[in-house]
Amino acid sequence: MVGLELIPIGTILAVLTSQVVRTANAAKDVLIDKESFNILSKHLLDIAPVLKELQLQELNESQAARVALESLESDVKQASNLVEKYRNSGHFYLLMKCHYIVKEVEQVIRDIGRSLAALSLANTEVLSRISDQVNRLQSEMQRAEFEASQSQLDIVDKLNHGIKEQKLDQAFVNDMLEEIARAVGVPVEPSEISKEIASIRWEKEEAANRKERAEVIFLEQIILLLSQADTASDFEEVKKQYFQRVQVIERYGSREKYIPPLNSFCCSITEAVMVDPVSLCTGTTCERSAIEVWFDDGNMTDPKTKEVLEDTTLRSNIRLRESIVEWRELNCCFRIKSIRENLLSNSGLLLHESLSQMQALIKENSINKDWISIGELTDIIISILGNSDSIDVKMKILITLKGVVEGHARNKEKVVESQGWRYIISCLHNDSRVIKEAVDLLYELLQDRSGWNKSFCEKLSEHPSTVNYLVTILNGPVSDSIETAEKILTELFEIDEENICCAAKFGWYKALVDRMIQGSKTFFSSSSLLR
């Protein structure tokens, strides 16, 4: 409070009381860590009567009283800033910072408690009537201690593990994002998830303005990880990004198949293209994991210049990392273009090579699943699946399709709504090796984040040959497929009990016997059973 010594004590107390009550009420609106903020609110509301008591009495004008008031005013202002900051933050960001938030609240409560104790000592006589209340309050506040909930900390640990291990598996990211959303009460819908990630981006910009480099890097990594989830990606933006890259590679000659990396993309230690480039104080850039091993081995020199390092701090080279990502994406588009040409060439040798290249792309980065689909590679191999008589070709296409759809809702829907659905079902009546891959792919297509995709299961149930093929598998020698086939059949029985009768007609009676024992009235009234 500027010029505090010039303002009457009564005025200071009135303003401070108002600020305390306002902050206490605002603290109730913070979305995450409500318990700690509610305790902060309660303590602030308990302070208000103390300040009002001081206003009613003749408060001494001592320097000690003014200093104590100034300290309390400063601490309450800090609490107010803390509340405002987190009251306006996104749900995801609050969860990720839960450990730090509770410690900040803990500290500000303790600080207010100490200032209240100083104010009490400076006004012992005035506060004598409520001295016990004040002593208890300031003692409780100085001993405040909070911890984030274990469930929150577990999510944050899992998130940090995903960042550290450079998790690119989309299923992991989808599960992670859903777990976060469930924990903070946000619907797993693209519009809501986009808002949360936009909020994290805003927090990153604010951290950059405050020159908090470590916070910027952490939030960038969070954004990079979560943006890989299905619900976090705007498909139109993904398409736009893909076609922008395609336009760039079209400027190269028709014989060009690959853009070589710039020298700056390569690690000074391993000489390989970097994934997470960091810069040393000398300007030398290395892969983070490589330079960490370098230091762990006792080397305190620049690996390139051999200069002794006075500072071993590693600074993420964000611009270089973005350039490397763009370079990888351009080469990815080159590969998709080449694969497309080879698939359409009707060459058996090129077909197998192309399918291997597609599988490699899928493993490299989850966004490649979208780009493979946008580049029409999925459509082409589905068409080949329906027209090929080769067991090896069918097997490899089914394996590749499973990689394309695994953990990817949009690609699953595309396959189910295409001719691929019919071709996959027909593969259930084939060579045992093809059957195994077809059953595994079918099972993956029928799964979503909550378990079975009821809509897809109903669509499968409507296909006239499905139950027959699955029963044939159960009665056959293909042991690797039996368990999965039975799981699919069991779900189809839940979708429509007519499928139980159908299975019995084809020679599989287990489900029929089970239902007879259970005594389903609806089932026994089925006309198909009576026939």
Side-chain angles (χ1 to χ4, degrees):
M1 208 176 273
V2 180
L4 187 67
E5 66 280 358
L6 303 176
I7 303 173
I9 286 284
T11 302
I12 296 172
L13 286 169
V15 172
L16 185 54
T17 303
S18 175
Q19 187 177 13
V20 164
V21 174
R22 188 166 59 249
T23 302
N25 291 330
K28 298 175 183 178
D29 297 332
V30 180
L31 300 170
I32 300 292
D33 296 307
K34 285 181 174 290
E35 182 181 354
S36 55
F37 279 98
N38 283 341
I39 292 174
L40 170 62
S41 175
K42 177 183 178 299
H43 284 322
L44 289 173
L45 291 174
D46 286 342
I47 290 173
V50 176
L51 299 177
K52 288 178 180 177
E53 181 70 18
L54 292 172
Q55 290 179 63
L56 294 173
Q57 305 297 326
E58 289 187 7
L59 187 62
N60 69 69
E61 292 279 347
S62 69
Q63 183 64 23
R66 285 185 174 273
V67 169
L69 271 179
E70 184 176 22
S71 176
L72 182 59
E73 189 274 340
S74 175
D75 292 335
V76 171
K77 185 176 181 180
Q78 184 180 355
S80 178
N81 291 339
L82 194 66
V83 167
E84 285 304 307
K85 175 184 177 182
Y86 293 126
R87 189 172 68 155
N88 297 315
S89 294
H91 296 68
F92 281 20
Y93 175 77
L94 290 172
L95 176 62
M96 292 160 201
K97 301 293 292 183
C98 62
H99 177 70
Y100 300 95
I101 292 172
V102 295
K103 291 306 174 187
E104 285 183 275
V105 176
E106 176 186 292
Q107 189 58 52
V108 80
I109 290 176
R110 289 182 175 185
D111 290 344
I112 293 172
R114 279 191 286 271
S115 296
L116 183 62
L119 184 63
S120 176
L121 288 173
N123 299 277
T124 306
E125 294 181 3
V126 177
L127 293 173
S128 58
R129 193 171 60 85
I130 57 172
S131 60
D132 290 343
Q133 174 188 341
V134 174
N135 290 336
R136 176 187 53 79
L137 177 58
Q138 58 91 5
S139 178
E140 284 180 3
M141 295 181 76
Q142 289 184 71
R143 288 185 286 105
E145 189 171 346
F146 303 115
E147 283 291 344
S149 71
Q150 190 57 49
S151 60
Q152 289 178 330
L153 293 175
D154 288 344
I155 292 174
V156 173
D157 285 345
K158 189 174 178 181
L159 193 60
N160 287 330
H161 175 73
I163 292 171
K164 184 177 180 181
E165 298 299 319
Q166 296 283 311
K167 286 279 190 179
L168 298 177
D169 174 51
Q170 196 162 31
F172 169 85
V173 181
N174 285 339
D175 290 344
M176 185 79 261
L177 189 141
E178 184 174 352
E179 194 172 343
I180 293 170
R182 188 167 56 247
V184 298
V186 171
V188 187
E189 298 173 0
S191 58
E192 295 298 326
I193 300 303
S194 294
K195 288 179 187 176
E196 293 299 326
I197 293 181
S199 172
I200 299 173
R201 286 196 176 96
W202 183 86
E203 296 286 356
K204 187 199 79 172
E205 291 171 6
E206 288 296 298
N209 292 335
R210 297 191 300 268
K211 301 188 184 303
E212 296 175 357
R213 190 171 181 81
E215 177 78 348
V216 171
I217 293 169
F218 170 71
L219 294 178
E220 276 185 343
Q221 292 172 326
I222 292 292
I223 293 166
L224 181 64
L225 183 70
L226 295 184
S227 295
Q228 296 177 73
D230 287 342
T231 48
S233 61
D234 183 330
F235 188 56
E236 292 306 313
E237 282 299 313
V238 173
K239 284 174 65 176
K240 180 181 176 182
Q241 183 183 0
Y242 172 75
F243 287 116
Q244 284 174 343
R245 299 287 185 259
V246 168
Q247 286 179 347
V248 173
I249 68 170
E250 285 176 349
R251 298 173 195 159
Y252 289 79
S254 58
R255 293 184 179 180
E256 294 286 346
K257 302 293 183 184
Y258 178 74
I259 305 172
L262 299 176
N263 290 336
S264 60
F265 291 179
C266 299
C267 173
S268 298
I269 299 173
T270 66
E271 298 184 353
V273 175
M274 293 177 283
V275 175
D276 187 8
V278 292
S279 297
L280 303 175
C281 61
T282 54
T284 297
T285 308
C286 308
E287 179 66 53
R288 183 185 294 275
S289 59
I291 191 64
E292 286 176 347
V293 170
W294 177 267
F295 288 153
D296 288 343
D297 287 343
N299 299 302
M300 291 296 122
T301 57
D302 183 308
K304 184 176 182 180
T305 66
K306 307 306 178 186
E307 179 183 348
V308 175
L309 297 171
E310 296 180 0
D311 179 7
T312 57
T313 303
L314 302 178
R315 300 169 180 82
S316 285
N317 195 323
I318 296 167
R319 289 186 179 180
L320 179 59
R321 185 173 67 193
E322 290 173 347
S323 296
I324 293 172
V325 168
E326 182 178 354
W327 168 78
R328 290 186 192 279
E329 289 176 350
L330 289 171
N331 277 317
C332 173
C333 289
F334 264 124
R335 290 160 70 185
I336 290 174
K337 178 184 176 183
S338 176
I339 291 169
R340 179 185 171 86
E341 292 170 355
N342 291 340
L343 288 173
L344 295 173
S345 70
N346 293 321
S347 165
L349 182 62
L350 291 177
L351 171 58
H352 281 279
E353 182 183 335
S354 298
L355 291 171
S356 295
Q357 290 173 351
M358 285 181 66
Q359 292 172 21
L361 280 172
I362 291 165
K363 291 177 182 177
E364 285 175 18
N365 195 325
S366 60
I367 196 173
N368 291 346
K369 293 185 181 184
D370 282 304
W371 286 12
I372 282 171
S373 180
I374 296 167
E376 299 180 346
L377 300 189
T378 308
D379 297 326
I380 295 171
I381 65 172
I382 284 174
S383 177
I384 295 172
L385 177 66
N387 295 313
S388 176
D389 294 323
S390 168
I391 290 173
D392 289 339
V393 168
K394 285 182 179 293
M395 281 180 59
K396 200 155 189 177
I397 289 176
L398 291 168
I399 293 169
T400 305
L401 282 174
K402 186 185 176 188
V404 170
V405 304
E406 203 160 22
H408 199 294
R410 193 161 42 242
N411 283 353
K412 286 184 180 182
E413 185 173 0
K414 181 173 183 176
V415 171
V416 170
E417 297 300 327
S418 72
Q419 287 184 319
W421 188 245
R422 180 163 54 87
Y423 296 152
I424 295 163
I425 294 172
S426 68
C427 286
L428 296 174
H429 188 62
N430 207 295
D431 179 88
S432 61
R433 292 167 294 169
V434 174
I435 289 173
K436 179 187 181 307
E437 303 305 338
V439 169
D440 288 347
L441 172 56
L442 198 59
Y443 181 81
E444 177 60 36
L445 286 168
L446 296 174
Q447 303 301 306
D448 60 23
R449 294 190 189 93
S450 58
W452 292 95
N453 184 311
K454 299 298 182 183
S455 174
F456 291 176
C457 287
E458 288 172 2
K459 187 177 179 68
L460 180 63
S461 179
E462 292 168 2
H463 195 282
S465 301
T466 300
V467 174
N468 182 13
Y469 289 159
L470 291 172
V471 167
T472 301
I473 294 170
L474 294 181
N475 291 330
V478 190
S479 58
D480 290 345
S481 305
I482 289 175
E483 184 179 349
T484 307
E486 185 171 354
K487 287 179 181 178
I488 296 172
L489 258 182
T490 301
E491 186 59 30
L492 296 186
F493 296 157
E494 293 298 322
I495 295 293
D496 186 353
E497 286 189 332
E498 289 286 338
N499 289 323
I500 298 176
C501 302
C502 186
K505 288 178 181 178
F506 292 122
W508 197 68
Y509 302 100
K510 181 178 181 297
L512 177 62
V513 172
D514 289 345
R515 289 302 170 97
M516 291 177 68
I517 293 171
Q518 292 170 7
S520 168
K521 292 182 180 179
T522 304
F523 180 70
F524 281 115
S525 64
S526 169
S527 59
S528 62
L529 176 62
L530 295 175
R531 288 196 295 272

